[in-house]
Amino acid sequence: MFNFFKKNKQPTVALAPAEMSLANIEFHTMPEKFKNAGGTGTAASKKFGLVIVVGGGLILIAGVVLLSWYVYQSGGKKPVSQIAPVEQSETPAVTPEAPLESAEQTDTSAAEDLTEKDCGGGLFNGSAADYETDAFLVCLGERINNGCLPAAGKITDEIFGEIKLSVLGLRQDKCLAQIDYPDAYAIASDKMKIYANTYAQCLYGLGDLSSLNYQPGQLAAYIYEQTSVNNIGPDNGNCLGTAVDRSREQAKFAGEEETAAQAGVDADGDLLTDLEETAVFATNINKSDTDGDGYSDGAEVLNLYNPAGAGKLADSGLIAEYLNGKYGYVVFYPKSFHLEDQLGGDNVFFFSGVDGSIQILTQDNPDKEDIKSWYARLVGTPAADITQTVSATKNNLEYIYSPDGLTAYVTLSGGGGKIFVLTYSPEESGAIQFKTVLQIMINSFQLK
Ligand SMILES: [Ca+2]
Ligand SMILES: [Ca+2]
């Protein structure tokens, strides 16, 4: 691993762990009273309002530009790291024309144009190139500085091979970064193979990042180092994801941590946690067969029937369907979850808003191995030693779960060209609440 920031592992600006949890993120929708605002009032009053809004906006923008210019000119910010000071002849890290205050507006449009070309799909070789001037890292840092604009590229790590580093965009005022680790065969260290095909997500306060005042290349390297497996041990409150879960598992085996995540409360024993019943399915937490048709709530949803009335789950109004155009799959997800697809279908999130998220990553399976062989190679174990069972769905797919039951690897029966990795990442401190939702997503998964 790189030790680029070893002397400076802790950000100078303290990041409050509680605020950095993905589960604390709320998703806002437009209040009803605003949705129809355009339908009332006269044309004159609308014009008048428009003038005020546009005029106010221009004054605000001018103020922000002046302020940014002043801050830049005065050199008020100081680098806080051990990194060599910024030379004045170079491009400033934050351009005055793109103040951070505009980040919320740019976030939406950035989602539309995000591809790997945003940072060239660059490949940075950590052992040879210069961290501070590498084009990919500079590009990534600039996009973070300009409001956490989504971007992605690859970094070559001597132990892990090609790691993908992505900036996924703003979540309210936090910048969400993700590292994806490669397949097991590409990871040099046996000890580190446990991180194969996993990811870690970390949230950074945009204000905190900008106050670090690194050069863009330095900033991206800082994010990388903070997000890497070096820094995502059990005590790191900034990061979530399966790489974190796996580091906790390792710590547990090493006797460093005693408590495993607890299953969420299921008061009526119908396979749906109380939270699944209240937040997703509108069923009774104390009645295992809410609609009294002789089938338990859990049995109904797992077979894609409506637990709260007659008919199919698809027609219940409780779930939505996501079509992935790039890989041609369709999957159900709870309507109460918030869908985000900012990497063109490669990496899709379904945020629960109450307890973590479910993510679907798509991986290559060029030799069309069956799921057990593929998984065995992934974890570096002979297929005969894999103890988890391979299950089939009604849609001609096979899947296998990770030992912790939070990640499922899905492909066509007999082996398709792609592997779909569905992972539920619970809230860091919370119980496991959405395993049945994860299973429903697997059961509904279909290739078109
Ligand atoms: Ca229940
Ligand atoms: Ca029922």
Side-chain angles (χ1 to χ4, degrees), residues 288-297 300 307:
S288 62
D289 178 8
T290 295
D291 59 6
D293 64 357
Y295 298 97
S296 76
D297 295 343
E300 293 212 54

Side-chain angles (χ1 to χ4, degrees), residues 252 257-263 430-432:
K252 194 170 65 189
E257 190 182 338
E258 289 181 2
T259 52
Q262 301 293 308
I432 294 173

Side-chain angles (χ1 to χ4, degrees), residues 164-168 176-180 198-202 227 343 347 349 359 361:
K164 186 171 178 185
L165 178 61
S166 308
V167 175
L168 298 172
L176 180 61
Q178 174 162 314
I179 279 190
D180 295 302
T198 66
Y199 61 90
Q201 298 164 359
C202 308
T227 306
L343 287 171
N347 196 352
F349 293 87
Q359 179 182 24
L361 274 171

Side-chain angles (χ1 to χ4, degrees), residues 92-387:
V94 180
T95 53
E97 293 77 14
L100 296 176
E101 284 79 357
S102 69
E104 299 237 348
Q105 293 158 15
T106 55
D107 187 38
T108 309
S109 57
E112 294 163 6
D113 67 5
L114 174 70
T115 59
E116 293 199 5
K117 73 176 161 50
D118 280 323
C119 279
L123 179 61
F124 173 57
N125 189 337
S127 60
D130 185 342
Y131 268 98
E132 299 179 25
T133 57
D134 177 81
F136 161 59
L137 289 177
V138 170
C139 168
L140 201 63
E142 283 172 348
R143 290 183 69 83
I144 293 167
N145 269 335
N146 287 327
C148 188
L149 301 177
K154 287 170 182 168
I155 292 177
T156 299
D157 181 287
E158 55 196 21
I159 292 174
F160 283 100
E162 283 186 14
I163 292 175
K164 186 171 178 185
L165 178 61
S166 308
V167 175
L168 298 172
L170 276 181
R171 302 297 181 274
Q172 297 196 328
D173 60 344
K174 299 286 196 297
C175 189
L176 180 61
Q178 174 162 314
I179 279 190
D180 295 302
Y181 295 96
D183 289 340
Y185 62 80
I187 297 178
S189 161
D190 286 341
K191 194 181 161 198
M192 293 295 181
K193 285 187 195 296
I194 192 170
Y195 295 103
N197 276 3
T198 66
Y199 61 90
Q201 298 164 359
C202 308
L203 282 166
Y204 300 95
L206 203 56
D208 298 334
L209 288 176
S210 65
S211 72
L212 293 173
N213 201 30
Y214 291 134
Q215 278 287 287
Q218 297 170 329
L219 178 63
Y222 171 82
I223 293 273
Y224 168 63
E225 180 68 11
Q226 288 286 311
T227 306
S228 74
V229 75
N230 272 359
N231 286 314
I232 55 171
D235 298 328
N236 192 322
N238 293 351
C239 301
L240 289 170
T242 55
V244 179
D245 298 334
R246 291 185 186 203
S247 71
R248 287 201 190 99
E249 273 178 38
Q250 283 193 318
K252 194 170 65 189
F253 286 130
E256 296 165 10
E257 190 182 338
E258 289 181 2
T259 52
Q262 301 293 308
V265 174
D266 174 9
D268 55 6
D270 63 357
L271 299 181
L272 296 177
T273 62
D274 290 2
L275 195 58
E276 284 177 318
E277 304 218 41
T278 54
V280 177
F281 295 112
T283 45
N284 188 328
I285 61 168
N286 295 312
K287 194 175 172 189
S288 62
D289 178 8
T290 295
D291 59 6
D293 64 357
Y295 298 97
S296 76
D297 295 343
E300 293 212 54
V301 295
L302 286 169
N303 287 288
L304 311 182
Y305 283 95
N306 180 4
K312 300 269 185 144
L313 193 54
D315 305 318
S316 66
L318 300 169
I319 63 102
E321 203 174 79
Y322 166 69
L323 167 65
N324 184 299
K326 183 166 183 181
Y327 298 110
Y329 66 79
V330 171
V331 66
F332 289 0
Y333 68 97
K335 246 185 188 162
S336 59
F337 281 27
H338 171 87
L339 166 72
E340 289 197 19
D341 173 15
Q342 294 207 349
L343 287 171
D346 285 338
N347 196 352
V348 187
F349 293 87
F350 305 87
F351 289 95
S352 74
V354 288
D355 196 296
S357 61
I358 291 174
Q359 179 182 24
I360 303 179
L361 274 171
T362 302
Q363 305 273 339
D364 288 327
N365 184 19
D367 297 332
K368 299 194 175 178
E369 292 177 278
D370 65 62
I371 197 62
K372 193 166 187 173
S373 306
W374 188 87
Y375 179 79
R377 192 170 50 73
L378 170 73
V379 297
T381 305
D385 295 345
I386 301 292
T387 54

